[in-house]
Amino acid sequence: MSTAAEPRAERRARRRAARAQEFGDTGGRRLPLWQLVLRYLLLLAILAVMIGPFLWQLSTSLKGPNEDIYSKTPQLLPSDPTLDNYAKVADLIPVWDFALNSLKVAVTNVLTNCVGSALAGYALARMRFRGRKVALVTFVMAMLVPVESIIIAQFMTMRELQLNNTLIGVVLPGCIGAMNVLLMRNAFANLPYEVEEAAYVDGANAWQRFWHVALPSVKGTLAVVAIFAFMGAWDDFLWPLIVLSDQEKFTLTIGLDYLHGAFADNQRLVAAGTIIAVAPLIVLFACLQRYFFRGVGEGAVKG
Amino acid sequence: MSESPVTDRATAAAVAGPAASPAKGAAAGPAPGGRPHRKVRTHLPGTPWLFLGPGLLIVGGFSLYPFVTTVVDSFTDRRTLVEGQYVGGANYQELIHDDKFWTGLRNSLLYMVGVVPLLVILPLLLAMLVARKIPGIAFFRSAFYTPVVASVVVVGLIWVWLLDDRGLVNSMVTGLGLDRIPFLSDSTLLLVSAMLVTVWKGLGYYMIIYLAALANVPRELHEAAAVDGAGAVRRFFTVTVPAVRSTMVLVGALSSVAAFKVFSEVYLMAGPGGGPGGDDTTLVMLVKQTGTGLSGRVGYASAISVVVFVITLGLMLLVLRANRKEDS
C-alpha cells in the first residue's frame, strides 16, 4: 500500500531531482546567460575540430574531376557533386569484397566473443570446482600480455596451423577475449544468487540455469562485449596486415592502406574508400550510442 | 587487437565502469553473492570445463603459448623458414649495438612523453565542458566520441590528407601568408603530427572516463568551496582535481601503455619504412619489419618483443603501485 500510494507527482519530482543531480559540475545553480553562450561557443568550436575532418573527407570524396581539390580557398561544398569516385574506387580495388571480408570477421568475432566469454564467465562466477582459481589466473595473465609483443609468435603459430592468409587466421586470436571473459564473470557474479536458487530447486541443470535464468539478466554487459568485439575486429589493422597477403582476402583496413599506397595521387578515391569504411560504423554508433555511454550513468548511480 | 589508444579491451573496461573492472574483482576474490551459498555442487563434475573449454583453448593457444614461444625464440636465431638454434643472449647483445633499435625505443618513448600529458589534461577539461546537462549536450558528447569509433586507418588517412603539402591545413597556413609546414616530410614534424592524430582520436574516449568520475564528485564540495569564495580556477584545483586524481592515474596508465606500443598512426603517416631514413620507426613497427616476410628474423624480432613486453609491464606495475599508495 505505502509504495503504491506514493503520489505519481512526488515520484516524478524525485526522479527529476535525481536527474538534475547527475552530472552537476559546479553546483546546481542555473548558469548565467553569458556562461551558457560561452559554453555553446566552445562546444561548437570543438565540434568543428572533431567532426570537421570527417566532413572535409566526405566533401573531397564527392568532388568531381574538374574541381580543384587543392584550391587556395577551400570549398567545403562540392560545386559539382558526384558519386563517380565511389564507382571508380570499386573498379580499381574490390572495395565491396573487402567490406564483406571485414563484415565476416567482425560478425564472427561478435558471436564467438559473446558465446565463449558468457560460458566461461558463468563457470568462473557461478560454479564450484577444483581449478577455478587456476582458470581465473589464466585469463588474468592472458589479459596482461599485450598483443603487440606476441604478434610474431602468433604469426608463426598460424603458419604451423597453415591458417596464414585466411580469414579464420584473422579471427582466431581475438575470438574469445580474456578481458571479455572477466567482464562477463563480474556481471554474473553481481547477480543475486537467489535468482538461480529457485531454478535449482525446480531441478534445472547448469546449462538451463545459465541459458534461461542468468544470461537474460546480463544482457547489458553482453551488449557491451558485442559492440566492442565488432569495433575491435572492424578496426583492427596490425594483425590482418601481418596475416593476410592475397588481395582478395584483404579486410577493409588493409585494403585502405593498399589503396592509399597505390593511388596516393588521387585523393578523391582514397577519400571515397575511407568514407565507405567509416560510414557503417558511424551509423552503428548512432544507433547504439546509449550503450557506449552506459558507464557514465552507472557511475552516477553508484555516487 | 587494435593498437590505437582505444584498445577494445580497455574500452570495454571503461564502459563497464570502475566497479566492474575485472582486474580489481579478480584480486578481491569473488564478489559477494558470486559464491554459491550451498556447499554441494550444483552441476555435473565435467560441466565447468565444458563451459571454460573454448575460452581456455583460445586464450591458451593464442596468447599464453605465443608468449612462451616469444621468450624462447628470443634466445634462438630462428627465421621464418629456418628452424632456430639456441644462441644464448646473442640477440639481446645485438640489440644493444643496433641503431635501429635505439631509434625505435627513442621514438616509442618520445611518443609516450608527448602524448600522455595531453591525454590526461585535455579530456578532463572536455569532460567538464560537457558534464553540465544543457540542451543538446547528448549530441555534443556523441559527436566528440566519433573519432574514437572510426578506425585508426580511416583517421590516419583523413589526417594525411589534411596535413598534405597542398592539404587543408597548409592552404590555411599559406592563406595567412606563412610558409608551408612540412608536416609529413620532416621527420620530427611527422612524429609530432602522428601524436596529434593519436590525441585527437583519444580525446572522446578519455572524456567518457572522466565524465563518469566527475559524476561521482559530491556537489556539496563545490558548493562549500563556492561559499568560501573560491573562484572557478581555484575550485578546479582544490575540488575537481583531487576528486578525479585516481582517474587521472588510470588515464595516464592506459594512454602511456597504448602510446608506447604505437604502430598504426606512424605506419600510415610515415609509410612502412618509418619516414625519411627510417627516423620515425617505432618499436612495434620494428618488430613487424624484422619478424615478418620470408626472410624474417623471428628470433631477433622476438627479442625486441620481449623488450616491448617488459617495458609495458613495468609501466603497468608502476601505475598500480602509485594507485595503491593513494588508496592507503
Side-chain angles (χ1 to χ4, degrees):
Chain A
M1 180 72 189
S2 61
T3 50
E6 187 187 24
R8 182 174 295 173
E10 210 172 278
R11 223 183 312 156
R12 204 182 297 150
R14 197 160 42 103
R15 221 177 291 145
R16 199 179 302 142
R19 217 178 303 140
Q21 267 213 308
E22 244 182 83
F23 313 122
D25 50 350
T26 47
R29 286 157 295 121
R30 277 184 55 179
L31 288 168
L33 186 66
W34 68 270
Q35 265 199 35
L36 200 64
V37 172
L38 190 71
R39 260 168 195 264
Y40 277 113
L41 285 178
L42 262 172
L43 285 169
L44 286 172
I46 299 169
L47 183 73
V49 175
M50 301 308 271
I51 294 296
F54 290 103
L55 293 179
W56 183 243
Q57 191 81 343
L58 180 66
S59 148
T60 306
S61 77
L62 294 172
K63 282 176 180 167
N66 298 323
E67 224 168 310
D68 181 13
I69 55 169
Y70 301 109
S71 68
K72 277 259 153 59
T73 45
Q75 300 282 317
L76 183 60
L77 288 180
S79 61
D80 177 21
T82 169
L83 290 173
D84 273 3
N85 297 316
Y86 289 86
K88 236 184 267 168
V89 105
D91 282 344
L92 288 169
I93 60 166
V95 69
W96 300 116
D97 292 347
F98 295 167
L100 189 66
N101 286 340
S102 278
L103 194 67
K104 281 183 201 161
V105 168
V107 169
T108 314
N109 211 24
V110 168
L111 291 177
T112 51
N113 264 302
C114 283
V115 175
S117 51
L119 283 172
Y122 182 79
L124 289 176
R126 290 304 221 205
M127 293 182 186
R128 295 172 60 81
F129 57 97
R130 219 177 246 279
R132 188 173 72 167
K133 280 237 169 74
V134 177
L136 190 63
V137 168
T138 307
F139 287 113
V140 172
M141 276 181 6
M143 200 182 67
L144 290 178
V145 178
V147 171
E148 290 84 353
S149 71
I150 53 170
I151 203 118
I152 297 300
Q154 281 185 342
F155 171 67
M156 296 304 280
T157 310
M158 284 302 157
R159 269 181 60 89
E160 280 152 25
L161 296 173
Q162 307 214 311
L163 288 171
N164 258 355
N165 202 14
T166 64
L167 289 182
I168 297 175
V170 177
V171 171
L172 266 182
C175 77
I176 300 176
M179 181 76 188
N180 293 334
V181 171
L182 296 170
L183 265 179
M184 292 310 297
R185 175 199 166 272
N186 269 40
F188 284 121
N190 285 332
L191 293 179
Y193 191 64
E194 286 70 31
V195 178
E196 271 177 82
E197 215 150 43
Y200 175 71
V201 170
D202 287 345
N205 65 29
W207 169 257
Q208 287 165 327
R209 290 199 304 274
F210 164 73
W211 184 253
H212 293 291
V213 183
L215 197 60
S217 313
V218 296
K219 272 186 194 147
T221 311
L222 209 58
V224 171
V225 168
I227 290 174
F228 288 104
F230 188 94
M231 274 180 42
W234 185 269
D235 290 351
D236 193 14
F237 180 54
L238 177 57
W239 178 238
L241 184 69
I242 285 177
V243 168
L244 299 175
S245 43
D246 286 352
Q247 207 197 351
E248 76 252 29
K249 285 168 192 144
F250 279 4
T251 57
L252 255 178
T253 49
I254 312 304
L256 283 183
D257 180 47
Y258 171 75
L259 177 73
H260 168 62
F263 302 95
D265 44 344
N266 197 338
Q267 270 305 330
R268 297 176 184 84
L269 296 185
V270 178
T274 53
I275 294 297
I276 291 174
V278 77
L281 269 191
I282 291 189
V283 171
L284 191 77
F285 168 57
C287 297
L288 300 176
Q289 43 125 333
R290 68 200 174 98
Y291 289 108
F292 279 79
F293 300 127
R294 239 173 46 108
V296 182
E298 269 176 13
V301 171
K302 266 179 234 109
Chain B
M1 289 249 97
S2 90
E3 57 289 328
S4 62
V6 195
T7 67
D8 40 342
R9 296 167 169 180
T11 315
V15 163
S21 157
K24 220 183 254 173
R35 190 193 299 272
H37 294 319
R38 50 186 71 241
K39 285 261 152 57
V40 294
R41 278 216 174 89
T42 57
H43 52 79
L44 297 172
T47 317
W49 299 106
L50 283 179
F51 275 55
L52 283 167
L56 285 176
L57 202 72
I58 294 297
V59 160
F62 297 106
S63 283
L64 297 178
Y65 170 71
F67 176 70
V68 173
T69 56
T70 300
V71 176
V72 172
D73 283 348
S74 75
F75 295 102
T76 70
D77 59 359
R78 187 176 185 190
R79 285 173 179 264
T80 310
L81 299 175
V82 188
E83 288 288 307
Q85 295 285 317
Y86 176 76
V87 294
N91 286 326
Y92 292 96
Q93 268 173 354
E94 192 182 338
L95 275 185
I96 295 173
H97 304 291
D98 185 351
D99 287 345
K100 273 188 169 178
F101 168 73
W102 290 108
T103 308
L105 185 62
R106 185 201 64 194
N107 285 339
S108 288
L109 290 173
L110 264 182
Y111 213 84
M112 201 171 76
V113 173
V115 159
V116 172
L118 292 176
L119 280 180
V120 170
I121 295 162
L122 291 180
L124 174 59
L125 300 177
L126 202 58
M128 289 172 64
L129 186 66
V130 300
R132 174 72 75 128
K133 282 214 157 175
I134 49 178
I137 200 67
F139 165 76
F140 286 106
R141 284 181 190 169
S142 301
F144 297 170
Y145 198 75
T146 316
V148 180
V149 179
S151 145
V152 64
V153 177
V154 168
V155 165
L157 293 185
I158 286 179
W159 279 93
V160 165
W161 171 221
L162 283 169
L163 298 176
D164 187 271
D165 269 357
R166 297 173 296 171
L168 184 64
V169 175
N170 264 322
S171 70
M172 283 175 176
V173 168
T174 50
L176 292 171
L178 300 166
D179 281 340
R180 278 204 172 91
I181 305 171
F183 291 108
L184 302 177
S185 41
D186 178 84
S187 67
T188 311
L189 272 180
L190 190 79
L191 209 60
V192 174
S193 306
M195 290 177 189
L196 200 88
V197 175
T198 304
V199 171
W200 181 78
K201 185 167 162 42
L203 279 178
Y205 172 65
Y206 296 115
M207 173 190 86
I208 295 297
I209 299 184
Y210 276 124
L211 208 48
L214 285 179
N216 285 334
V217 181
R219 222 155 44 122
E220 292 75 24
L221 284 181
H222 276 291
E223 274 160 13
V227 169
D228 289 348
V233 175
R234 186 81 191 275
R235 282 207 307 273
F236 173 72
F237 284 109
T238 55
V239 180
T240 311
V241 168
V244 299
R245 184 168 287 151
S246 63
T247 311
M248 291 173 88
V249 173
L250 172 76
V251 169
L254 289 176
S255 59
S256 52
V257 168
F260 178 72
K261 296 183 301 187
V262 64
F263 171 80
S264 307
E265 290 93 326
V266 181
Y267 180 93
L268 287 160
M269 299 178 84
D279 280 352
D280 295 308
T281 315
T282 70
L283 225 44
V284 176
M285 285 172 77
L286 196 60
V287 169
K288 194 219 163 248
Q289 280 170 18
T290 7
T292 55
L294 288 179
S295 57
R297 299 182 61 197
V298 173
Y300 192 55
S302 298
I304 308 175
S305 303
V306 170
V307 173
V308 172
F309 172 76
V310 168
I311 295 182
T312 322
L313 196 71
L315 283 173
M316 286 198 268
L317 291 178
L318 211 70
V319 171
L320 270 180
R321 239 184 85 182
N323 226 2
R324 199 164 300 152
K325 265 201 197 122
E326 207 151 288
D327 288 345
S328 57

